[in-house]
Amino acid sequence: MAESSNLLDDSPEASAWVDHIEATHPERHIFGKIRCGVIWTSSPGIDGEPLVPVDPSVLAGWINADGLPLFNGHDSGSPVGQVIAAKIFTSTHGVRFVAAVFGFYSEERRVGFSDLGLDSMQAVQPPQSLPQLAADVWMAFETDPREVDAEWQEDALINAPLPVKRKELSHNAAEPLTELIRIGLPYVVLVWNPFITTVATEAGKDAYASTREWLRKLWKKLAARRSPIVQISSYQDGCEVSFLFRGNDVAVNYAAHDALSTAAMQAAQLIGQMRKRQIAPRTMTYEFDSQSRKWYPSYTVLQNGQLVSDRNLLIALEQLPSQLSLGIGRHD
């Protein structure tokens, strides 16, 4: 954007900082291209509100502590790169802004699971028992109200089996192509299936069953949505794992639902393989193949920012839209 370019040009301090990061950042060799830009300014939008409704100090802190993913649109199945560094500056005209350095993935730098000696589809054995859910366990439910109307959200959350913590997303898309619904659940809920009969108490078993049954009903309710993506996320051994349910085909989503337990166990096993090899995964994303009726790991991002995937899922930099979304997750 013109304003972004002008702000960087209007601040010699910011320009010098960008040059330094591009030359010295330890993750720069992982990416195909390094670019800079402005991701927040104190200048309001046409409605008088901030264009990105977040405290700039918090935003810069998130990025410098853990990095932030970049997605094509707000589709977490379409990774583009990472925001690898950020800093707050003030232009000579008094505009506060957050300058950022972006690392964009390239096909040439992509690494496959097999390249790391990993079997991403290894057979698994279900656990013989599961623990009782903690008394304070809860479910996250996140949407952008401009994409998913309040009436549908209220209907979706009827008889929610766990306390719900809701959060509004802000994608700032003029014409959103998808309707993102993010749901956060404990990992053991994803692993559970009706054949795992040993739970600490009968009430504990009911809690697992009711949560999975609520999810199953959700897939039928998606039929009313135009182009939904449901991202179910949880944490396993320090890695954020996401399972993407795409579209409003009830039969396909039922099949994905029935295979979810096996996929969650495979993901846990894959993360365990990586840990044994001293490979530190930060995030892992699974997609469902409607033909084979199986989940597969679409990609994982390591703690050092490296993208690992067995398939070409990257878009050439020159083909990317001008607007990309920051992957600010539910734990932020």
Side-chain angles (χ1 to χ4, degrees):
M1 292 184 295
E3 181 190 21
S4 298
S5 176
N6 291 340
L7 285 172
L8 288 172
D9 293 341
D10 197 30
S11 173
E13 184 184 4
S15 296
W17 175 81
V18 166
D19 291 341
H20 174 74
I21 294 297
E22 289 179 343
T24 64
H25 197 279
E27 294 180 1
R28 67 191 185 281
H29 299 302
I30 291 170
F31 303 100
K33 293 185 182 296
I34 300 292
R35 295 287 185 267
C36 64
V38 172
I39 58 175
W40 181 94
T41 81
S42 58
S43 300
I46 58 176
D47 59 358
E49 297 296 324
L51 292 174
V52 181
V54 66
D55 184 318
S57 299
V58 173
L59 178 61
W62 286 337
I63 293 167
N64 293 323
D66 300 311
L68 276 180
L70 279 171
F71 300 123
N72 182 13
H74 48 266
D75 183 348
S76 59
S78 183
V80 171
Q82 296 271 333
V83 190
I84 59 176
K87 190 172 181 180
I88 302 173
F89 296 94
T90 301
S91 74
T92 55
H93 294 89
V95 178
R96 293 183 74 215
F97 65 96
V98 177
V101 177
F102 311 103
F104 289 96
Y105 299 128
S106 68
E107 183 60 24
E108 294 75 18
R109 302 289 175 89
R110 176 175 61 88
V111 174
F113 290 102
S114 56
D115 296 328
L116 300 177
L118 301 168
D119 182 356
S120 62
M121 298 296 287
Q122 195 172 47
V124 292
Q125 292 295 324
Q128 295 182 348
S129 63
L130 288 174
Q132 182 144 333
L133 292 177
D136 60 349
V137 72
W138 51 275
M139 175 177 69
F141 190 85
E142 305 175 1
T143 61
D144 187 327
R146 293 166 294 184
E147 298 172 1
V148 183
D149 60 277
E151 183 179 357
W152 187 91
Q153 293 184 50
E154 295 302 324
D155 181 62
L157 290 171
I158 289 176
N159 298 322
L162 299 172
V164 179
K165 293 187 178 181
R166 300 175 66 169
K167 176 180 175 182
E168 285 192 3
L169 303 176
S170 181
H171 296 135
N172 297 312
E175 295 184 9
L177 300 178
T178 58
E179 303 159 325
L180 179 63
I181 302 161
R182 290 204 300 218
I183 300 173
L185 289 168
Y187 206 83
V188 287
V189 170
L190 307 184
V191 170
W192 183 86
N193 67 63
F195 302 103
I196 301 174
T197 57
T198 306
V199 182
T201 66
E202 195 64 26
K205 179 182 176 181
D206 290 344
Y208 282 105
S210 61
T211 303
R212 290 297 295 273
E213 182 59 25
W214 175 83
L215 273 178
R216 189 173 182 84
K217 291 178 180 177
L218 183 67
W219 311 134
K220 190 171 184 179
K221 294 177 180 180
L222 284 182
R225 307 308 312 167
R226 178 175 55 85
S227 182
I229 298 176
V230 176
Q231 177 182 346
I232 296 182
S233 296
S234 192
Y235 283 84
Q236 169 64 22
D237 197 10
C239 177
E240 183 178 15
V241 186
S242 295
F243 300 89
L244 303 183
F245 289 74
R246 292 185 179 276
N248 55 12
D249 188 315
V250 177
V252 170
N253 286 331
Y254 276 172
H257 177 95
D258 293 340
L260 182 59
S261 175
T262 298
M265 288 185 285
Q266 285 182 322
Q269 186 166 270
L270 178 56
I271 292 168
Q273 287 185 52
M274 299 176 81
R275 297 292 187 194
K276 287 180 180 179
R277 289 169 173 74
Q278 305 300 309
I279 302 169
R282 178 189 300 167
T283 65
M284 186 175 291
T285 299
Y286 274 69
E287 298 264 6
F288 184 71
D289 178 51
S290 60
Q291 299 300 314
S292 66
R293 290 298 202 254
K294 291 182 179 180
W295 289 93
Y296 64 93
S298 177
Y299 69 93
T300 188
V301 176
L302 306 184
Q303 289 292 349
N304 66 358
Q306 175 70 60
L307 180 74
V308 180
S309 178
D310 282 336
R311 67 189 186 102
N312 181 2
L313 45 73
L314 300 176
I315 299 172
L317 185 59
E318 59 272 11
Q319 296 176 330
L320 288 174
S322 59
Q323 297 295 323
L324 300 172
S325 64
L326 297 177
I328 301 175
R330 65 183 177 87
H331 55 289
D332 300 321

